[in-house]
Amino acid sequence: MSGTEDSRPFQQVRLGTLEQQVMEQLWEHEELTIRELISGLGDHHAYTTIATVLSNLGRKDLVSGCRVGRSVRYRPRHPRSEHAARLMEQALSSSNDRSASILRFVKGMDDREAALLREYLNGHDGTGAPDPGSAPA
Amino acid sequence: MTLPLFALLTLALVLLALTGPRLVRWSSPLLMRAPRLASGLLLGALAVWSTAAAVLSVALAGLPSGPRLLAGSAGEVCQRCLAAASPFAAAPVELPVPMAALLLLPLAGTVLMGTAAVRGLLRRARSTRSVLAEVRASAVRTVLAGHRVLLVPDPTPLAFALPRRRGGIVVSRGLLDSLGADELSAVLEHEAAHLAQHHHTLLAVLEAMVGPLRLIPLFDAVAVAVPHLLEIAADDASRHRSGTPALASALLTLGECGAPGPSAAPGALLHARGPAGIGPDRIGHLVSPAAARSALVPVVTLSALLAALLGLAAVAVAPYAVLLLNGCPLLL
């Protein structure tokens, strides 16, 4: 899903306040028209405002619209958890040169290190450690 | 005390700047035994080097030659005063560089570095704050194995520590699913150690000190080594509580999950600045600590070089300090 965006995904994932509110509505209701969104947000916003927000969200690959009858219905492209995952990705990738902000437990591992650990753990069978071979592929 | 002192100081500075990376690498078996002390030593090395470089520059300015710093008779007196106090040759030495430049160089350098550091810190704070605010918005605060954590609904197994005021330990739902109780506890102990030992602060200090000076090999080597040493320090705390096998298998599981998962970051991103062999070897230290004896010589060499640098800098700066305290000998 993020394959095409990996080159410059991150500015695009971050949401403004109103964008966040719109996404919350969409995640909650699965599918909404602009009118429904406006009333869901308390009738404070102009039609054009919400339309603009939705087109921005579309550009950020977060929302897709499909025409149903005479109205366009918008739905989130990704479930909330996946959006959270992308945010995490963003936070962590920015920590690559901002280690002072985020200290990761482990950032990937090369073959040698994995082999060292596996060897060590094989030598420690029966210590209660779960089988390391069961790591998800 | 003449020019040899000056030459010696320059030599020690250059030597340390260039051989620093090798010394740090060779020292690592010993550094890894006491990672927190070692981090302090390495940060201290940077401080000593910078100080000595600044002293050298100022002392060079003390060589009575080149355009005067002040005009008129005040300048004359000042220059004689400096000459009287200079530890270097009494005979004027012609320098191609104006004296003011030598005096201003360390000052300008300090100001520039300070500005760069502050700007970097602010920029970092801003950009991470906005992302993390969103991460936190989707996270649930909970208690796991006695640690307060933020739990995010991410299927990728993840664990990291934010500065305490930004939320502290963050783990993902995927982490809970992929680790056993022992392993989870080991991970949490590791992250808790980062917080308890103020590693975020140390790294911020490191970043502020290194900044643009990363071009100097010594600074680069320290900037690479210290984060690894802090991971080792956190590992040590975790092993102490949860045992090495639990930590090792957690590292293996998460390390292998670091490769692209269902919605994970691309592997290239994660490995881009990975630990591969540059800094102290965290995994190697965990499973089979290297004999520390081989590192004695480089550690002693490094310490001796630093001590020499500090000593030389002190000798060079002492006459000026005396001058400042007692007043100019010509005016007495």
Side-chain angles (χ1 to χ4, degrees):
Chain A
M1 122 247 119
S2 59
T4 54
E5 290 186 62
D6 287 337
S7 49
R8 51 180 191 92
F10 297 132
Q11 287 306 322
Q12 303 180 5
V13 183
R14 199 187 300 170
L15 297 182
T17 316
L18 188 52
E19 291 176 330
Q20 184 75 44
Q21 289 171 354
V22 167
M23 283 313 296
E24 294 295 338
Q25 288 283 320
L26 288 174
W27 278 320
E28 203 172 316
H29 297 100
E30 292 289 319
E31 198 179 84
L32 291 171
T33 62
I34 293 185
R35 285 285 165 216
E36 287 165 345
L37 270 168
I38 293 172
S39 61
L41 292 168
D43 289 318
H44 295 310
H45 303 285
Y47 188 93
T48 47
T49 312
I50 299 303
T52 311
V53 167
L54 282 168
S55 73
N56 287 343
L57 289 171
R59 212 157 10 85
K60 293 178 182 183
D61 193 31
L62 285 167
V63 161
S64 62
C66 61
R67 187 166 285 280
V68 177
R70 280 171 41 200
S71 58
V72 181
R73 303 188 71 82
Y74 294 89
R75 57 178 62 169
R77 288 188 75 107
H78 317 287
R80 192 197 295 262
S81 65
E82 200 168 300
H83 177 67
R86 299 216 292 173
L87 274 172
M88 297 289 291
E89 192 184 313
Q90 176 175 359
L92 290 170
S93 75
S94 67
S95 80
N96 260 347
D97 51 358
R98 297 185 177 86
S99 46
S101 289
I102 303 174
L103 286 159
R104 286 186 80 170
F105 178 64
V106 56
K107 307 170 188 163
M109 191 168 283
D110 61 32
D111 294 344
R112 186 193 70 93
E113 291 174 322
L116 272 175
L117 284 175
R118 231 176 261 117
E119 198 178 308
Y120 171 82
L121 289 167
N122 287 338
H124 277 76
D125 279 348
T127 50
D131 175 20
S134 66
Chain B
M1 284 193 292
T2 49
L3 276 175
L5 176 67
F6 156 78
L8 228 65
L9 190 56
T10 315
L11 187 72
L13 271 174
V14 173
L15 208 63
L16 193 59
L18 297 182
T19 61
R22 247 172 239 164
L23 284 174
V24 171
R25 199 164 53 239
W26 291 335
S27 305
S28 67
L30 200 56
L31 297 183
M32 286 190 290
R33 293 300 176 95
R36 297 172 72 188
L37 186 68
S39 305
L41 176 83
L42 292 178
L43 284 179
L46 297 189
V48 166
W49 195 93
S50 314
T51 311
V55 163
L56 180 68
S57 179
V58 172
L60 265 175
L63 291 173
S65 79
R68 287 175 194 162
L69 208 53
L70 297 170
S73 56
E76 185 76 25
V77 171
C78 189
Q79 199 160 25
R80 277 205 220 141
C81 177
L82 278 173
S86 172
F88 305 121
V93 180
E94 282 302 324
L95 281 182
V97 197
M99 184 163 102
L102 289 170
L103 272 177
L104 290 178
L105 213 64
L107 195 68
T110 312
V111 169
L112 268 177
M113 276 176 54
T115 317
V118 168
R119 282 181 57 194
L121 287 174
L122 287 179
R123 197 174 50 231
R124 177 180 64 206
R126 252 200 322 274
S127 79
T128 36
R129 202 182 304 135
S130 70
V131 175
L132 293 175
E134 279 187 63
V135 170
R136 279 199 304 268
S138 64
V140 184
R141 191 163 272 294
T142 178
V143 175
L144 287 175
H147 299 279
R148 298 182 63 199
V149 302
L150 286 168
L151 181 63
V152 290
D154 189 329
T156 318
L158 281 170
F160 55 87
L162 302 169
R164 213 187 283 274
R165 64 179 189 289
R166 294 245 194 80
I169 303 172
V170 182
V171 297
S172 68
R173 171 63 59 183
L175 185 89
L176 304 191
D177 295 340
S178 55
L179 295 186
D182 282 2
E183 296 168 309
L184 180 64
S185 145
V187 171
L188 293 174
E189 292 292 350
H190 172 102
E191 301 300 346
H194 276 317
L195 296 182
Q197 299 178 9
H198 304 287
H199 290 174
H200 293 99
T201 315
L202 258 173
L203 286 177
V205 170
L206 175 75
E207 191 175 312
M209 282 181 82
V210 173
L213 292 182
R214 197 155 184 158
L215 292 171
I216 301 168
L218 170 74
F219 282 67
D220 186 53
V222 171
V224 168
V226 168
H228 287 284
L229 287 170
L230 295 184
E231 291 301 329
I232 291 171
D235 281 352
D236 286 349
S238 167
R239 297 156 77 179
H240 198 67
R241 298 272 186 97
S242 311
T244 309
L247 181 66
S249 76
L251 275 168
L252 184 61
T253 307
L254 290 201
E256 294 192 325
C257 290
S263 66
L269 192 70
L270 292 171
H271 291 291
R273 299 200 190 170
I278 320 159
D281 176 12
R282 174 186 179 189
I283 304 296
H285 176 71
L286 187 68
V287 300
S288 57
R293 193 169 300 169
S294 64
L296 258 177
V297 174
V299 167
V300 169
T301 313
L302 188 64
S303 312
L305 267 174
L306 285 173
L309 211 53
L310 208 55
L312 287 169
V315 168
V317 89
Y320 298 100
V322 170
L323 187 74
L324 277 178
L325 286 175
N326 296 346
C328 180
L330 297 179
L331 299 179
L332 290 176

